């Protein structure tokens, strides 16, 4: 179903563009064949273009990375729904992960084989050898990710067939930190690439607009060019990151764009495309182009910051090793993205188009390694510095020492030192008491009051003699904190 939805979406899009085009080159059959070819291109499969001016078949291997998101998301969703069918909620049998993975992958590959055969009759057929490993690779990775998410993202130990030494080494926390720090560095590089592409498009706004308007004069053609440019934005991000790292990217067999300069022929047969109009001018570099070195430095800072563990028992060597592993992870991720974002757009001069994956990966690892390791060691030393006011004999009361002592005692005992409290039983519910209605009181019987007695005659009060006033001593207030001393006896 995932493969059918992806093919249907691209088929509808291509048919709409074919209907709105004033000069269609083929009928609806050719449009459907082209849709099948685009679906295979979204998996990284190379297409072959036979209708060229020289008559030599030209390969098309530049995969729009935004187009890859369509089959990946659909395949991942299909794996999640398949894993959720048998969850055991209504007494049905829970489907194992292997069964769901096999069923989804086999069905997707069957549709991919039919699409490859059908696209062979179109204007841009797919290379069978390229489709034989690109489509299964995308299907396996996407299905595995969907099943893993549906099962609750388990991160348990490795299987028993893995050697014990490898399982013990992978269980260490340094590898999780290395993956996190390496991913953070790769994201910083991609963010810097986005900034470079946006700034270059704004700087060359007139050239980009002129190229966009000169390609075609109808709205359907301009809409198709706009969709293609949007699908290639992730590729431009990777190209910008490769440019900031130093190796740059190739624009054919004899042209390379780097911060140090744009080396190539002045009559380079570049395709007229809006994104290519934002390239820097040919010639040596300038301080503006050299300033892009800030991006890999920022990536190295990110790797070093996320590679530090918040624990005092970690040594400096462990911290440096974690930062180094994070740099290697960043280099591998960048190399993979560079390989996916490049490819040929033709033969001869356009056989090399995009960054070289091993150069970009090596540059990313070197940049981040040079910055991440010193930063990680410095951050680790700053976090574990002694508290202010502690002397050489105050290590016992240093912050964090008490926690380490309790952790050591707990590990030695093998059980928690403080026993868990027994659960307190909930009080029994008290039944509600019905409200008591007030009873009407009888009217009181009036009692006659007795007659008042006559008051006696007033007796004159004697006037006392005047008393002399005496001075009043001020009150003695209690003194807090006073100490009472015992009275010493005088010597005899």
């Amino acid at each position: 179903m995932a493969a059918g939805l992806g093919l249907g979406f691209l088929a509808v899009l291509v048919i709409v563009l074919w209907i709105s085009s004033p000069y269609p080159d083929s009928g609806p059959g050719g449009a459907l064949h082209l849709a099948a070819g685009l679906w295979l291109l979204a998996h990284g499969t190379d297409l072959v273009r036979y209708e060229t001016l020289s008559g030599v078949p030209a390969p098309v291997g530049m995969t729009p990375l935004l187009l890859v998101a369509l089959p990946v998301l659909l395949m991942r969703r299909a794996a999640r729904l398949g894993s959720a069918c048998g969850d055991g909620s209504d007494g049905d049998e829970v489907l194992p992960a292997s069964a769901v993975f096999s069923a989804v992958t086999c069905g997707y590959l069957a549709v991919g084989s039919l699409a490859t055969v059908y696209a062979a009759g179109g204007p841009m057929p797919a290379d069978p050898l390229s489709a034989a490993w690109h489509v299964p690779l995308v299907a396996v990775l996407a299905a595995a990710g969907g099943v893993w998410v549906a099962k609750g993202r388990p991160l348990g130990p490795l299987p028993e067939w893995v050697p014990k030494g490898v399982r013990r080494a992978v269980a260490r926390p340094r590898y999780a930190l290395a993956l996190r720090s390496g991913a953070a560095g790769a994201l910083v590089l991609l963010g810097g690439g986005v900034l470079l592409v946006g700034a270059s498009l704004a700087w060359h706004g007139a050239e980009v607009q002129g190229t966009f308007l000169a390609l075609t004069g109808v709205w359907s053609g301009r809409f198709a060019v706009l969709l293609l440019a949007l699908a290639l934005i992730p590729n431009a991000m990777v190209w910008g990151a490769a440019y900031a790292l130093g190796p740059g990217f190739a624009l054919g067999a004899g042209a390379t764009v780097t911060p140090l300069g744009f080396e190539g022929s002045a009559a380079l047969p570049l395709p007229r495309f809006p994104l290519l109009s934002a390239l820097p001018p040919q010639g040596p570099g300038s301080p503006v182009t050299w300033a892009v070195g800030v991006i890999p430095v920022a990536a190295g800072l990110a790797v070093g910051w996320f590679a530090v563990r918040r624990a005092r028992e970690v040594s400096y060597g462990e911290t440096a090793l974690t930062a180094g592993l994070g740099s290697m992870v960043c280099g591998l991720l960048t190399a993979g993205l560079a390989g996916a974002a490049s490819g040929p757009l033709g033969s001869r001069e356009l056989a090399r188009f995009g960054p070289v994956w091993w150069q970009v990966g090596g540059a990313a690892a070197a940049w981040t390694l040079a910055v991440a390791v010193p930063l990680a060691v410095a951050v680790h030393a700053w976090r574990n510095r002694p508290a202010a006011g502690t002397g050489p004999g105050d290590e016992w009361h240093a912050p964090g020492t008490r926690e380490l002592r309790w952790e050591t005692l707990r590990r030695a005992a093998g059980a928690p030192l403080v026993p868990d409290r027994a659960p307190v039983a909930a009080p029994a519910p008290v039944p509600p008491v019905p409200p008591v209605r007030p009873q009407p009181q009888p009217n009181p019987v009036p009692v006659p009051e007795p007659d008042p007695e006559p008051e006696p005659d007033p007796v004159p009060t004697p006037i006392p003699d005047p008393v002399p006033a005496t001075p009043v001593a001020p009150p003695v207030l209690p003194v807090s904190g006073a100490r009472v001393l015992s009275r010493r006896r005088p010597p005899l």
Side-chain angles (χ1 to χ4, degrees), residues 68-114:
V68 180
L70 177 64
V72 170
L73 293 178
L74 291 176
M75 188 66 175
R76 185 171 176 268
R77 183 175 180 272
R80 289 180 58 188
L81 293 179
S83 300
C85 288
D87 54 357
S89 57
D90 298 334
D92 53 351
E93 183 181 0
V94 179
L95 297 177
S98 57
V100 176
F101 173 79
S102 302
V104 174
T105 305
C106 292
Y108 196 88
L109 294 181
V111 178
S113 302
L114 296 177

Side-chain angles (χ1 to χ4, degrees), residues 277-372:
S277 301
L279 293 174
Q282 296 188 10
S286 62
V288 177
T289 60
W290 301 339
V292 298
V294 178
I295 296 176
V297 172
L301 294 178
V303 173
W305 179 264
F306 285 99
V308 181
R309 289 179 57 190
R310 296 183 177 273
R312 302 180 65 90
E313 69 272 11
V314 180
S315 62
Y316 291 99
E318 180 73 13
T319 303
L321 179 59
T322 304
L325 292 176
S327 302
M328 297 298 107
V329 171
C330 180
L332 291 175
L333 292 177
T334 310
L337 291 174
S342 60
L345 283 181
S347 57
R348 298 178 183 177
E349 288 83 3
L350 296 180
R352 292 180 52 200
F353 214 77
V356 182
W357 65 270
W358 61 269
Q359 294 180 359
V360 176
W367 273 98
T368 54
L369 184 65
V371 180

